[in-house]
Amino acid sequence: MSDVASHLENDRFLRALLKQPVDTTPVWIMRQAGRYLPEYKATRKQAGSFMDLCRNADLASEVTLQPLERFDLDAAILFSDILTVPDAMGLGLYFSEGEGPVFERPVRNMAAIKALGVPDPEGELQYVMNAVRTIRSDLNGRVPLIGFTGSPWTLATYMVEGRSTKDFGKVKGLMYEDPAAMHLLLDKLADSVTLYLNAQIAAGAQTVMIFDTWGGTLTPQTYRDFSLNYMQKIVDGLVRENDGRKVPVILFTKGGAQWLETMADTGCDGLGLDWTINIAEARDRVGDRVALQGNMDPCVLYAEPEAIRANVKRIIEDFGLPTGHVFNLGHGIHQYINPDNVKVLVDAVHEFGSALRA
Ligand code: CP3
């Protein structure tokens, strides 16, 4: 055994990200704690609202661990949301039934952006750090804990639009109309998020992932200048080792398959892939610079077990190498998925992953 996470009972997730030998392919699922689980819905009801659940460390830990009780997952992910950071900047987040996240006070111009502060992670965001500490203690070394953030661009889309959007008219309008204002917003977000992730690492997060959910809506040039540039700033500012162990960083731009090489150039450890690229092609393009995480279409989980197993097998065999792959979906699991199908997926990853190494 290496010195990496030696006290962990199961460290194959960290080892695969660092391209160290593993016995089988590790797996976790984006949004693994969520509404497809009846026990999640019960705890959320008990908490009152989604944000009340995020603010209660014991309940946040309970829902983080729920999927681990059902499935043989190789990592846990902090139960929280990417929008905690803009909320702490004073935008007033709430979740409206059927519509998703809404900000009471969106920012739409230079004056509003200049007025924004950088939140103290152990101040306004201390509830997130308390959740990290509680989860680490409740996990008791079972599997590693993933911390996360939204990318500056993705956070900015919600902060300018004020809610989910299909056309990104307001945020892209501001970017083209007043690029200096957009750069100031993204710069403040990069600083906020760097502090936020470093505080999560200090509190016990053993890997961090940057979710750039909306980077894929940009042009090649605006992706580089307004999204990747600020993720680079974060990667450069992160603490990469804690407690004697490396803390891997994963970047995930949904819809970003055409930019994998430049993403790998940031110096991150792993890249998340959506389902629009074959994982063998992605591996050939990035070489051994980074590990890859993904990339099954979440809709495969609507199919019968045999189809799920066939899709898992194909992705593992397409990747083909004995380490450097973390199995995941290409985006979050849908709320209408039958949990029994998730068990089929997780068990199939371990089965075909060990067959690959036999
Ligand atoms: O993966 C996990 O299990 C950890 C928890 C997690 C949540 N949100 C919990 C959540 C993570 C990693 C996120 C990240 C997040 N949040 C992203 C980036 C990843 C992605 O999916 O692209 C984004 C864009 C958000 C913003 C957000 N939060 C939206 C758009 C919504 C509404 C979604 C919906 O389907 O209603 C949320 C709410 C949210 N975040 C839920 C959960 C479990 C559902 C809230 C509920 O219980 O009602």
Side-chain angles (χ1 to χ4, degrees):
M1 290 291 274
S2 78
D3 59 345
V4 172
S6 48
H7 75 288
L8 277 166
E9 280 164 43
N10 171 358
D11 66 353
R12 62 168 82 94
F13 166 73
L14 293 179
R15 298 179 64 85
L17 282 175
L18 298 170
K19 292 182 255 78
Q20 297 169 350
V22 281
D23 56 341
T24 187
T25 305
V27 54
W28 69 280
I29 291 171
M30 286 191 266
R31 292 273 173 100
Q32 63 191 22
R35 285 169 297 188
Y36 73 105
L37 292 177
E39 58 270 33
Y40 167 81
K41 284 195 271 196
T43 311
R44 186 184 179 286
K45 200 166 169 193
Q46 186 192 338
S49 72
F50 172 71
M51 282 309 289
D52 288 335
L53 179 51
C54 293
R55 289 180 198 279
N56 182 319
D58 291 323
L59 294 183
S61 181
E62 183 180 308
V63 295
T64 300
L65 270 64
Q66 281 170 352
L68 305 180
E69 299 302 329
R70 279 190 185 244
F71 318 118
D72 190 14
L73 294 160
D74 297 298
I77 179 160
L78 163 67
F79 190 82
S80 190
D81 198 80
I82 62 167
L83 301 178
T84 53
V85 170
D87 182 53
M89 293 168 112
L91 275 68
L93 173 66
Y94 66 94
F95 283 83
S96 81
E97 207 52 61
E99 202 197 354
V102 182
F103 284 117
E104 281 165 35
R105 292 172 291 280
V107 289
R108 303 242 163 96
N109 55 49
M110 183 60 118
I113 291 166
K114 277 189 173 156
L116 293 172
V118 169
D120 172 3
E122 288 288 357
E124 305 92 306
L125 289 163
Q126 193 172 47
Y127 68 94
V128 179
M129 306 311 144
N130 290 341
V132 171
R133 289 184 274 263
T134 303
I135 297 164
R136 264 303 292 274
S137 142
D138 291 350
L139 276 173
N140 199 18
R142 218 160 126 186
V143 292
L145 176 63
I146 305 166
F148 69 91
T149 180
S151 71
W153 170 255
T154 293
L155 295 177
T157 64
Y158 289 98
M159 292 172 77
V160 176
E161 299 284 344
R163 58 190 67 228
S164 297
T165 171
K166 284 203 165 72
D167 60 17
F168 300 87
K170 293 188 178 70
V171 66
K172 287 185 168 186
L174 181 66
M175 171 181 78
Y176 288 118
E177 170 73 20
D178 191 352
M182 185 55 72
H183 280 300
L184 181 64
L185 174 57
L186 295 168
D187 206 52
K188 284 190 179 186
L189 284 167
D191 289 345
S192 302
V193 155
T194 305
L195 289 171
Y196 183 59
L197 286 181
N198 281 338
Q200 290 184 33
I201 292 166
Q206 290 149 300
T207 298
V208 290
M209 175 154 164
I210 303 175
F211 286 90
D212 186 27
T213 306
W214 303 120
T217 65
L218 290 165
T219 65
Q221 190 195 338
T222 56
Y223 175 71
R224 189 193 60 205
D225 295 346
F226 291 89
S227 186
L228 189 64
N229 182 36
Y230 293 96
M231 294 200 281
Q232 177 75 67
K233 195 175 174 196
I234 298 163
V235 172
D236 290 342
L238 286 179
V239 172
R240 301 292 283 271
E241 216 174 292
N242 187 46
D243 209 7
R245 293 175 190 85
K246 287 201 166 168
V247 179
V249 182
I250 305 168
L251 299 190
F252 171 57
T253 293
K254 182 166 177 285
Q258 60 173 320
W259 302 313
L260 294 177
E261 292 87 345
T262 52
M263 293 173 75
D265 285 341
T266 58
C268 64
D269 300 282
L271 291 180
L273 301 177
D274 68 22
W275 58 87
T276 64
I277 184 169
N278 183 285
I279 198 165
E281 188 204 320
R283 190 206 59 212
D284 289 345
R285 280 173 42 200
V286 299
D288 64 1
R289 286 186 294 161
V290 288
L292 295 176
Q293 177 173 281
N295 68 339
M296 195 173 88
D297 184 343
C299 294
V300 171
L301 289 173
Y302 289 111
E304 295 295 315
E306 272 321 302
I308 297 169
R309 286 171 53 80
N311 277 276
V312 167
K313 183 167 188 278
R314 187 183 48 75
I315 291 169
I316 287 178
E317 290 176 355
D318 279 351
F319 184 83
L321 300 177
T323 187
H325 182 207
V326 172
F327 200 96
N328 206 316
L329 301 178
H331 198 206
I333 186 170
H334 297 188
Q335 64 171 306
Y336 303 108
I337 294 301
N338 178 349
D340 294 344
N341 287 358
V342 177
K343 181 166 167 41
V344 170
L345 178 154
V346 170
D347 292 345
V349 172
H350 290 150
E351 176 189 331
F352 296 122
S354 42
L356 179 78
R357 291 157 180 92

